[in-house]
């Protein structure tokens, strides 16, 4: 069960990470990266961000690329939220495959 503070910080991080990825993917036509959810640990030190990537075939490649450039993403996030947070949490990115799961269930029901 997440506290109110965890929820507020998670929403803030989700919004700012979405803006960062929107700006970074403008140079890559045909690729859309959105942050579907952010979960933050109780001590506010680790944030797990779930990314929805279109097209889904490039998901693993994009996650590897994002993890390789983790420092620049965290630095950009820090410059955006430095007045709201004292410590910028360590970021971990995962592919959100819930839409693929929904498509699979839909196909099975047909």
């Amino acid at each position: 069960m997440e506290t109110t503070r965890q929820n507020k910080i998670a929403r803030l991080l989700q919004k700012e990470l979405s803006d960062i990825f929107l700006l970074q993917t403008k140079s890559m036509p045909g690729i859309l990266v959105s942050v579907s959810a952010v979960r933050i640990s109780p001590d506010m030190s680790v944030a797990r961000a779930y990314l929805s990537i279109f097209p889904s075939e490039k998901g693993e490649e994009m996650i590897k690329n994002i993890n390789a450039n983790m420092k620049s993403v965290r630095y950009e996030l820090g410059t955006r939220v430095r007045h709201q947070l004292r410590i910028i949490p360590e970021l971990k990115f995962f592919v959100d495959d819930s839409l693929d799961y929904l498509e699979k269930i839909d196909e099975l029901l047909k």
Side-chain angles (χ1 to χ4, degrees):
M1 181 121 171
E2 293 184 342
T3 63
T4 305
R5 179 155 173 77
Q6 281 176 291
N7 288 332
K8 285 181 180 180
I9 291 174
R11 282 192 308 252
L12 173 69
L13 294 177
Q14 181 178 0
K15 179 188 172 299
E16 295 300 333
L17 284 172
S18 295
D19 291 343
I20 290 169
F21 289 133
L22 180 67
L23 291 173
Q24 286 184 352
T25 57
K26 278 188 177 181
S27 63
M28 295 181 271
I31 295 178
L32 178 67
V33 177
S34 63
V35 182
S36 58
V38 174
R39 303 276 184 254
I40 192 154
S41 64
D43 63 350
M44 313 292 177
S45 65
V46 178
R48 298 169 55 106
Y50 295 91
L51 305 178
S52 180
I53 299 170
F54 180 81
S56 58
E57 299 85 40
K58 296 188 177 195
E60 292 299 324
E61 176 188 339
M62 287 298 294
I63 289 293
K64 285 180 185 176
N65 189 10
I66 290 169
N67 283 327
N69 297 318
M70 180 81 66
K71 287 185 179 182
S72 63
V73 173
R74 189 171 181 218
Y75 175 78
E76 179 69 25
L77 180 66
T79 58
R80 290 171 178 245
V81 298
R82 68 176 177 242
H83 298 296
Q84 288 101 350
L85 298 176
R86 284 186 197 158
I87 299 171
I88 307 304
E90 177 186 338
L91 300 172
K92 295 185 179 181
F93 295 102
F94 300 96
V95 175
D96 182 23
D97 57 354
S98 60
L99 292 176
D100 296 336
Y101 182 70
L102 281 172
E103 286 179 18
K104 186 184 287 186
I105 289 177
D106 196 36
E107 286 294 321
L108 290 173
L109 290 176
K110 287 181 181 178

